[in-house]
């Protein structure tokens, strides 16, 4: 047989097989997953607490050992060798199998939890029953499908977070950022809400790091009643929810850009950055995708604003002698806030807006016209011809379940790890709007050092063509940039730097220089 290597690659071929450590780790991780799958078929595991511990520890240990075997013996530095040769990270067969399995899991989770073993008025069965002991330990209640999901989600972020830190251990920013997302997921999203449920079962479930519009349900009637009826603690949570939208988030986004949330705090971002790290190169970098992104994500913002307004409007009263907040004052309030923001942007930021102005203007006028329509045409409990409840259900189904879960996470191995954050998340869109217009954040580029290798663009999970900016020496100030810092971490020349600085000169599209009288020093000083 002819064994001659016909490859013309200068760097040689990537390793085809896993090393022994990785194989053993895969076996351990898979056996943990196997225990969960067996429970789906209602096999009777006598001591569920013990079996759950074994399963979770095996999954966690499998991922961590795999990562150690993959990275520990290598030098620190960029570790993306072979990604386009591996089936799982290059849309190969394994990627499709994983994508279909994950999507199937989400469909069952959202729409058919009974197949996971959820029993409404009785003892849970199946895989949900396996999680009962842990749920009872934390909150005192039996597990639900959301508890199972929350636990697996947290384990995935912790295990893949360790993998991520091993992989990017040459970069301090990445290590600290990952500790942050691991902490916020474990404490704020998982443990604190469960303990709060144990201390006061009537308080609405509240993941304190989630804010509107991500938790679009936060201002529904049953939740507002739940907050108000639970005294000071409930009221404090309600006030915190409002302050986080109007005070905390704008201040932090002004100082640090949207990265403070999308890459340091948010649970969706946490999963994307850790478990989804192997798929970041799959993001679409085309201009077409950029256009789709802007239309879709801003439409979701309009949708969620209208839906929330409609839901709150539907339960407010008309009698101003009883309540200070009536239907009309509420609508006028929403319209005034939007008008103030729009006018401020148009007056002070017009120059920097370019295309964004168009999207902002269309969105603004759509909302205002619908608000006026609401006032004129709506009756008790309905907005136009629709019930506000149907609007909420449609949003919850289309955006909350299908987009964020089934497509956003289920298709990590096919579309990349930030599909939801880029195309669907209204929170990211609002933060992005502020990041572009009113923030100190930018990625500076030392263009003279760039060798146009394209690593930065390839590994930008938001599909930003970072290299195009670097080649021109232009600052990157894009609404969609989540400040993950990976472009900078994989740049072999140290061209890119994430910085917070004065707003003057932040957006600096590089002008074409013509003529003989250009004073280059003026340009440098202006930068
Ligand atoms: S431009 Fe860089 S920091 Fe921003 S999202 Fe892309 S890779 Fe992350
Ligand atoms: S900025 Fe760095 S990673 Fe990007 S193309 Fe230039 S040298 Fe490569």
């Amino acid at each position: 047989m002819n064994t001659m290597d016909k490859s013309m690659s200068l760097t040689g071929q990537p390793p085809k097989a896993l090393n022994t450590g990785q194989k053993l780790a895969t076996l351990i991780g898979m056996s943990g997953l196997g225990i969960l799958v067996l429970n789906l078929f209602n096999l009777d595991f006598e001591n569920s607490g013990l079996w759950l511990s074994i399963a979770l520890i095996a999954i966690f240990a499998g991922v961590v050992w795999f990562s150690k075997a993959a990275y520990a013996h290598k030098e620190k530095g960029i570790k993306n060798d072979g990604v386009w040769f591996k089936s799982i990270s290059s849309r190969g067969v394994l990627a499709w199998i994983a994508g279909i399995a994950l999507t199937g899991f989400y469909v069952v989770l959202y729409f058919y939890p009974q197949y996971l073993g959820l029993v409404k008025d009785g003892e849970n069965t199946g895989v949900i029953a396996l999680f009962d002991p842990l749920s009872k330990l934390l909150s005192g209640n039996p597990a639900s499908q959301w508890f199972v999901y929350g636990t697996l989600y947290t384990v995935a972020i912790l295990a893949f977070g360790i993998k991520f830190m091993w992989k990017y251990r040459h970069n301090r920013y990445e290590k600290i950022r990952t500790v942050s997302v691991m902490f916020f997921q474990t404490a704020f999203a998982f443990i604190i809400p469960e303990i709060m449920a144990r201390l006061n079962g009537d308080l609405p479930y509240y993941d304190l790091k989630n804010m509107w519009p991500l938790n679009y349900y936060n201002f529904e009637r049953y939740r507002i009643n739940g907050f108000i009826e639970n005294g000071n603690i409930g009221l404090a949570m309600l006030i915190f929810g409002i302050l986080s939208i109007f005070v905390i988030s704008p201040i932090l986004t002004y100082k640090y850009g949207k990265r403070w949330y999308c890459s340091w705090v948010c649970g969706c971002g946490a999963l994307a950055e850790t478990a989804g790290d192997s798929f970041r190169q799959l993001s679409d970098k085309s201009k077409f995708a950029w256009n789709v992104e802007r239309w879709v994500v801003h439409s979701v913002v309009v949708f969620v604003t209208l839906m929330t307004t409609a839901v709150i409007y539907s339960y407010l009263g008309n009698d101003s002698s009883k309540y200070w907040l009536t239907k009309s004052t509420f609508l006028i309030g929403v319209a005034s806030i939007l008008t103030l923001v729009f006018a401020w942007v148009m007056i002070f930021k017009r120059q920097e807006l370019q295309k964004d102005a168009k999207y902002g203007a269309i969105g603004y006028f759509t909302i205002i016209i619908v608000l006026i329509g609401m006032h004129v045409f709506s009756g008790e409990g309905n907005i136009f011809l629709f019930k506000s409840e149907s609007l909420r259900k449609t949003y919850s189904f289309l955006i909350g379940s299908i987009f964020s879960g089934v497509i956003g996470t289920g298709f990590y191995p096919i579309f990349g790890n930030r599909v939801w954050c880029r195309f669907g998340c209204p929170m990211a869109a609002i933060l992005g709007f502020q990041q572009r217009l009113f923030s100190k954040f930018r990625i500076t580029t030392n263009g003279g050092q760039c060798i146009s290798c394209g690593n930065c663009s390839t590994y930008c999970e938001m599909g930003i063509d970072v290299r195009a900016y670097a080649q021109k020496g232009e600052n990157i100030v894009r609404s969609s940039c989540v400040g993950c810092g990976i472009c900078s971490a994989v740049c072999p020349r140290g061209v890119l730097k994430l910085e917070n600085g004065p707003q003057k000169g932040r957006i600096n599209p590089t002008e074409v220089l013509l003529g003989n009288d250009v004073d280059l020093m003026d340009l440098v000083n202006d930068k």
Side-chain angles (χ1 to χ4, degrees):
M1 192 173 72
N2 184 359
T3 54
M4 192 174 70
D5 183 6
K6 295 203 180 72
S7 165
M8 294 177 74
S9 162
L10 291 176
T11 51
Q13 296 300 313
K16 284 221 167 56
L18 301 175
N19 61 37
T20 318
Q22 285 172 307
K23 282 179 189 161
L24 286 173
T26 309
L27 190 70
I28 291 177
M30 284 297 171
S31 49
L33 214 53
I35 295 175
L36 301 185
V37 174
L38 284 179
N39 269 273
L40 277 180
F41 301 106
N42 267 328
L43 290 191
D44 199 11
F45 281 70
E46 282 277 294
N47 189 342
S48 45
L50 177 70
W51 281 107
L52 176 67
S53 313
I54 294 175
L56 295 182
I57 290 172
I59 294 173
F60 183 84
V63 176
V64 173
W65 190 8
F66 187 96
S67 325
K68 185 167 189 288
Y71 302 118
H73 61 286
K74 293 186 183 166
E75 288 288 318
K76 286 181 185 177
I78 307 166
K79 290 281 166 288
N80 281 317
D81 30 329
V83 285
W84 292 112
F85 293 92
K86 292 175 193 151
S87 175
I88 186 76
S89 57
S90 63
R91 296 196 188 103
V93 179
L94 284 183
W96 279 99
I97 293 173
I100 291 168
L102 277 171
T103 313
F105 169 69
Y106 274 100
V107 171
V108 175
L109 180 77
Y110 281 112
F111 307 116
Y112 306 102
Q114 65 273 26
Y115 294 130
L116 296 175
L118 186 72
V119 178
K120 280 245 165 73
D121 306 307
E123 291 274 303
N124 285 326
T125 58
V127 76
I128 296 190
L130 191 70
F131 283 74
D132 273 344
L134 181 59
S135 180
K136 284 181 183 155
L137 182 76
L138 290 171
S139 69
N141 302 318
S144 65
Q145 79 272 37
W146 301 120
F147 181 79
V148 173
Y149 181 52
T151 311
L152 294 177
Y153 199 97
T154 307
V155 168
I157 288 173
L158 292 177
F160 284 100
I162 293 174
K163 172 176 182 271
F164 187 90
M165 286 198 282
W166 236 310
K167 182 173 169 186
Y168 295 99
R169 65 186 189 277
H170 62 292
N171 191 298
R172 192 164 156 261
Y173 179 78
E174 297 305 336
K175 285 190 286 189
I176 300 176
R177 189 172 68 71
T178 308
V179 171
S180 166
V181 290
M182 287 158 79
F183 165 75
F184 277 106
Q185 174 60 31
T186 315
F188 279 60
F190 186 58
I191 295 178
I192 293 177
E194 294 297 329
I195 289 178
M196 271 165 48
R198 173 178 279 272
L199 297 179
N200 184 347
D202 298 332
L203 265 179
Y205 171 91
Y206 201 167
D207 170 354
L208 287 168
K209 67 179 175 40
N210 259 5
M211 64 182 85
W212 185 90
L214 210 50
N215 59 1
Y216 54 90
Y217 44 80
N218 204 28
F219 299 108
E220 282 172 28
R221 183 177 214 154
Y222 78 97
R223 286 182 68 89
I224 299 291
N225 288 344
F227 289 135
I228 292 173
E229 283 160 11
N230 275 286
N232 287 344
I233 178 86
L235 218 53
M237 282 161 72
L238 181 60
I239 292 172
F240 178 76
I242 297 171
L243 284 183
S244 52
I245 304 166
F246 294 110
V247 181
I248 301 173
S249 166
I251 292 177
L252 289 176
T253 311
Y254 170 69
K255 284 177 81 85
Y256 307 110
K258 77 194 233 191
R259 57 179 164 156
W260 80 267
Y261 192 73
C262 298
S263 291
W264 286 71
V265 173
C266 176
C268 309
L271 191 74
E273 293 294 334
T274 51
D277 175 62
S278 310
F279 310 112
R280 56 177 66 247
Q281 65 281 0
L282 302 174
S283 60
D284 190 336
K285 317 292 190 290
S286 67
K287 272 206 160 173
F288 173 74
W290 187 6
N291 265 332
V292 173
E293 165 196 319
R294 286 189 288 203
W295 276 106
V296 176
V297 83
H298 291 111
S299 307
V300 176
V301 175
V302 170
F303 190 4
V304 75
T305 309
L306 288 176
M307 185 274 292
T308 310
T309 311
V311 166
I312 298 177
Y313 179 85
S314 69
Y315 62 72
L316 290 175
N318 279 317
D319 186 354
S320 58
S321 61
K322 276 195 194 155
Y323 310 102
W324 65 270
L325 189 62
T326 58
K327 280 185 191 300
S328 321
T329 38
F330 175 65
L331 285 190
I332 293 169
V334 174
S336 310
I337 292 173
L338 289 173
T339 308
L340 273 178
V341 173
F342 186 67
W344 177 81
V345 167
M346 280 302 161
I347 295 168
F348 296 107
K349 297 284 172 179
R350 212 194 176 102
Q351 304 307 323
E352 297 163 19
L353 268 172
Q354 302 162 2
K355 280 191 179 170
D356 305 63
K358 196 171 76 185
Y359 297 97
I362 296 172
Y364 169 74
F365 285 115
T366 314
I367 295 177
I368 292 295
I369 287 170
V370 178
L371 291 185
I372 295 170
M374 251 185 224
H375 182 62
V376 179
F377 297 111
S378 299
E380 283 300 313
N382 69 308
I383 305 294
F384 302 118
L385 297 175
F386 310 107
K387 277 197 173 313
S388 59
E389 181 58 14
S390 341
L391 263 180
R392 191 197 67 79
K393 278 193 178 147
T394 314
Y395 184 88
S396 158
F397 173 73
L398 287 179
I399 310 295
S401 312
I402 298 285
F403 208 153
S404 78
V406 180
I407 300 177
T409 315
F411 278 113
Y412 269 12
I414 306 301
F415 299 131
N417 56 336
R418 284 272 195 179
V419 174
W420 160 247
C421 311
R422 183 180 177 193
F423 295 95
C425 176
M427 177 83 192
I430 292 173
L431 296 181
F433 195 64
Q434 192 193 333
Q435 168 161 282
R436 169 91 186 147
L437 296 178
F438 192 57
S439 165
K440 290 161 152 280
F441 175 67
R442 86 289 312 269
I443 302 177
T444 53
T445 60
N446 178 6
Q449 288 293 316
C450 176
I451 52 168
S452 301
C453 67
N455 258 1
C456 49
S457 296
T458 303
Y459 295 104
C460 174
E461 56 196 352
M462 299 304 279
I464 298 172
D465 188 0
V466 183
R467 176 174 57 180
Y469 292 84
Q471 287 169 330
K472 290 187 282 180
E474 184 180 338
N475 287 348
I476 301 161
V477 184
R478 285 276 292 268
S479 331
S480 58
C481 171
V482 287
C484 65
I486 291 296
C487 52
S488 167
V490 299
C491 173
R493 302 281 293 166
V495 172
L496 305 157
K497 193 163 177 220
L498 282 71
E499 293 184 62
N500 307 307
Q503 283 205 296
K504 188 170 177 293
R506 195 174 71 111
I507 299 179
N508 63 341
T510 316
E511 302 86 5
V512 178
L513 302 179
L514 290 174
N516 299 321
D517 311 327
V518 180
D519 185 347
L520 289 175
M521 278 321 289
D522 282 348
L523 266 156
V524 172
N525 293 334
D526 272 358
K527 261 203 157 186

